[in-house]
């Protein structure tokens, strides 16, 4: 696996390469177990083994190999943990979906390929981080407005259930998912302009608190408690990392 994710003498690249190799090995083992599961369950080789999920694994492996090489070229000083953690979680989720339903597994594989391609092209865009940072208020406000559309046009793909999705010509989008990313982008961009933090916690929080409360309010009204909890945790962790004030973790624990 190390040959797939080669690294230079840079310690960060070596760490990233090893973690990606471990992720690839763990998912390979998962895929092998799923393939052999029918034989183990029936104690016989005279059964149909599962092979279709290897499509998903190969797409995952090829996609993150491309991303790894792109990240090495474009962002040599990036955090070495982000890409391996993303790779492991997305791959584990992908194989789990294949195990539950092959048609959904194939659909998830296609979406993973689209997502990897989008990230690959995004890394090639000049000044992409500057654009995200410059228009941080616009991105988060747009995400909140998109989430608010579910009050009027929300649907549930299964028929009966919470109307947390939007239907675009047969493609369902849950606005709370991009809103998670937009919240992180907003907080990172806002805090990056104010580090090192030299003022009190309320001065740090007040400009972000209104937008954060707006997002949380929409999720609470929709009764999307899981996403609401995740928003509170994300907000508290990012503020803690920027300010070092442990009270943020304590306050978030009370809300959760």
């Amino acid at each position: 696996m190390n040959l797939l994710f080669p690294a230079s003498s840079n310690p960060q690249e070596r760490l990233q390469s090893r973690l990606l190799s471990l992720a690839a090995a763990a998912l390979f083992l998962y895929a092998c177990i799923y393939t052999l599961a029918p034989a183990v369950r029936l104690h016989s080789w005279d059964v149909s083994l599962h092979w279709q999920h290897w499509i998903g694994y190969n797409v995952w492996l090829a996609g993150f190999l491309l991303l790894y090489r792109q990240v090495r070229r474009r962002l040599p000083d990036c955090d070495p943990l982000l890409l391996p953690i993303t790779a492991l979680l997305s791959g584990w989720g992908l194989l789990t979906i294949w195990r539950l339903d092959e048609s959904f597994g194939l659909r998830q594989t296609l979406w993973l390929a689209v997502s990897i391609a989008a990230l690959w092209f995004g890394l090639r865009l000049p000044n992409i981080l500057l654009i995200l940072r410059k228009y941080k208020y616009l991105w988060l406000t747009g995400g909140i407005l998109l989430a608010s559309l579910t009050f009027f046009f929300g649907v549930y793909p299964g028929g009966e259930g919470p109307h947390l999705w939007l239907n675009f010509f047969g493609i369902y989008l849950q606005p709370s998912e991009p809103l998670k990313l937009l919240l992180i982008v907003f907080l990172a961009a806002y805090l990056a302009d104010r580090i090192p933090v030299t003022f009190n916690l309320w001065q740090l929080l007040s400009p972000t608190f209104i937008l954060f409360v707006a997002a949380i309010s929409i999720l609470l009204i929709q009764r999307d408690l899981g996403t609401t909890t995740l928003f509170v945790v994300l907000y508290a962790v990012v503020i803690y990392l920027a300010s070092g004030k442990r009270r943020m973790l304590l306050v978030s624990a009370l809300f959760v």
Side-chain angles (χ1 to χ4, degrees):
M1 293 294 181
N2 285 329
L3 295 177
L4 292 175
F5 300 99
S8 65
S9 57
N10 187 324
Q12 287 188 326
E13 283 190 8
R14 287 203 305 271
L15 176 60
Q16 189 178 57
S17 171
R18 291 171 182 173
L19 291 176
L20 282 170
S21 298
L22 286 174
L27 294 178
F28 180 81
L29 180 61
Y30 186 174
C32 289
I33 292 172
Y34 178 47
T35 296
L36 300 175
V40 174
R41 183 170 56 251
L42 299 176
H43 303 285
S44 172
W45 290 106
D46 189 21
V47 294
S48 298
L49 301 180
H50 299 300
W51 297 103
Q52 292 84 351
H53 62 284
W54 287 98
I55 299 174
Y57 177 81
N58 288 324
V59 170
W60 173 89
L61 184 62
F64 276 95
L65 176 59
L66 290 174
L67 284 181
Y68 170 69
R69 293 180 175 177
Q70 187 77 313
V71 167
R72 282 186 60 194
R73 187 180 304 114
R74 302 283 178 173
L75 300 172
D77 298 324
C78 71
D79 190 317
L81 301 180
L82 291 180
L83 187 61
I85 291 175
T86 302
L88 178 62
L89 293 178
S90 62
W92 196 274
L94 176 65
L95 291 179
T96 301
I97 293 175
W98 271 100
R99 181 174 61 85
L100 297 175
D101 190 292
E102 292 181 357
S103 62
F104 285 150
L106 181 59
R107 183 184 303 178
Q108 187 69 14
T109 300
L110 293 175
W111 279 115
L112 178 64
V114 170
S115 301
I116 290 175
L119 180 55
W120 188 85
F121 282 111
L123 290 172
R124 295 180 62 88
L125 292 176
N127 302 321
I128 181 65
L129 295 179
L130 180 61
I131 294 174
L132 292 174
R133 184 172 180 176
K134 183 177 181 181
Y135 300 104
K136 53 184 176 292
Y137 288 99
L138 181 62
W139 301 128
L140 184 58
T141 302
I144 293 174
L145 292 176
L146 184 65
S148 66
L149 290 179
T150 56
F151 291 127
F152 309 100
F153 308 106
V155 297
Y156 182 70
E160 294 292 334
H163 294 178
L164 304 178
W165 285 261
L166 296 175
N167 183 4
F168 296 99
F169 304 102
I171 298 176
Y172 293 96
L173 169 68
Q174 189 173 4
S176 62
E177 295 302 320
L179 189 56
K180 297 173 187 175
L181 298 178
L182 293 174
L183 176 65
I184 295 174
V185 169
F186 171 75
L187 290 175
Y190 173 80
L191 296 171
D193 294 333
R194 287 155 181 81
I195 292 177
V197 177
T198 57
F199 39 87
N200 63 49
L201 189 60
W202 176 245
Q203 289 175 317
L204 177 69
L205 294 180
S206 54
T208 68
F209 198 66
I210 295 177
L211 289 175
F212 173 72
V213 169
I216 289 295
S217 300
I218 293 174
L219 297 174
L220 285 174
I221 294 173
Q222 294 176 323
R223 298 181 182 178
D224 192 355
L225 299 182
T227 303
T228 302
T229 302
L230 182 57
F231 265 56
V232 172
V233 172
L234 284 175
Y235 188 79
V237 169
V238 173
I239 297 298
Y240 167 72
L241 292 175
S243 65
K245 297 184 181 295
R246 296 181 181 178
R247 74 186 72 170
M248 283 301 304
L249 299 180
L250 296 177
V251 172
S252 67
L254 293 176
F255 280 101
V256 173

